Amino acid sequence: SAASFPIVAPALEGEYELRFFLNNGYTFAGRSPVLLVADLPVVSISGVMVTEGDAGDSEAVVEVRLSHAAGWPVSVPWSTRDVEAVSGLDYTAGSGVVEFAPGETLREVRIAVHGDVGLEVNERLAVDLSAATGGTLGVASAYVTILNDDSSTATVTATPGLVSPGSVVTASVSGGPGYRTDWVGLYA
């Protein structure tokens, strides 16, 4: 027969084994492989900003860190996700596994960011971590912010140029990118 039940791990770090005894006595019947009780490192990711450039690809380097070195391998899957940035257009989508050898605390995920000459807002993509092995998840998502480096050739005019308080002014924009969310504000 088979049975499963929870056992609370000891408070002290070390190597342990589970032992099975028969019929409420001391007749030894089996043992588990070594159970390591240890302070698991916390895996976290941090965001980064990268300038897009006008052509070709630049590289966003995202750091993945352990809170402290472990004496065993630690791994964590990662994947990119669109926020405002669009994979294939603004960056190359990716996924994989970050692997820390015993003693390592820093690894990097590299993401290709595509340059262009179109005026646009700064855009973000997310890099998400999931299901760490040999450690626990801390900060599991971070943003890569793609900084727009293109300038505007837009011209803004107000007609008429001299008005009395409460009058209507017509704002005109030409040469702008034409995004649905473009807007004009009145400032003192």
Side-chain angles (χ1 to χ4, degrees):
S1 81
S4 295
F5 45 90
I7 295 177
V8 176
L12 295 176
E13 293 184 28
E15 293 184 1
Y16 297 86
E17 67 180 12
L18 300 176
R19 295 179 185 165
F20 175 58
F21 298 92
L22 297 177
N23 200 22
N24 202 24
Y26 291 100
T27 304
F28 178 75
R31 68 173 41 110
S32 72
V34 171
L35 169 66
L36 178 63
V37 176
D39 182 21
L40 297 177
V42 178
V43 184
S44 293
I45 189 168
S46 57
V48 66
M49 293 184 205
V50 62
T51 302
E52 72 176 350
D54 291 336
D57 288 345
S58 55
E59 194 171 57
V61 180
V62 179
E63 293 184 346
V64 181
R65 293 185 178 270
L66 296 183
S67 58
H68 62 274
W72 53 87
V74 177
S75 62
V76 61
W78 66 272
S79 60
T80 57
R81 173 174 48 89
D82 290 1
V83 180
E84 297 92 8
V86 177
S87 64
L89 180 63
D90 298 307
Y91 72 99
T92 300
S95 63
V97 177
V98 175
E99 296 179 345
F100 295 88
E104 290 183 329
T105 59
L106 174 65
R107 302 294 290 166
E108 297 174 341
V109 170
R110 296 178 178 273
I111 307 203
V113 173
H114 309 315
D116 63 41
V117 293
L119 179 64
E120 55 196 348
V121 298
N122 294 340
E123 300 168 309
R124 297 175 301 158
L125 63 111
V127 182
D128 301 319
L129 303 178
S130 61
T133 301
T136 60
L137 283 179
V139 177
S141 290
Y143 291 119
V144 172
T145 303
I146 303 171
L147 301 172
N148 178 61
D149 61 348
D150 303 308
S151 60
S152 172
T153 57
T155 302
V156 182
T157 58
T159 307
L162 175 63
V163 295
S164 58
S167 298
V168 175
V169 176
T170 301
S172 300
V173 178
S174 62
Y179 295 121
R180 291 181 313 138
T181 54
D182 291 349
W183 61 282
V184 173
L186 179 61
Y187 296 89

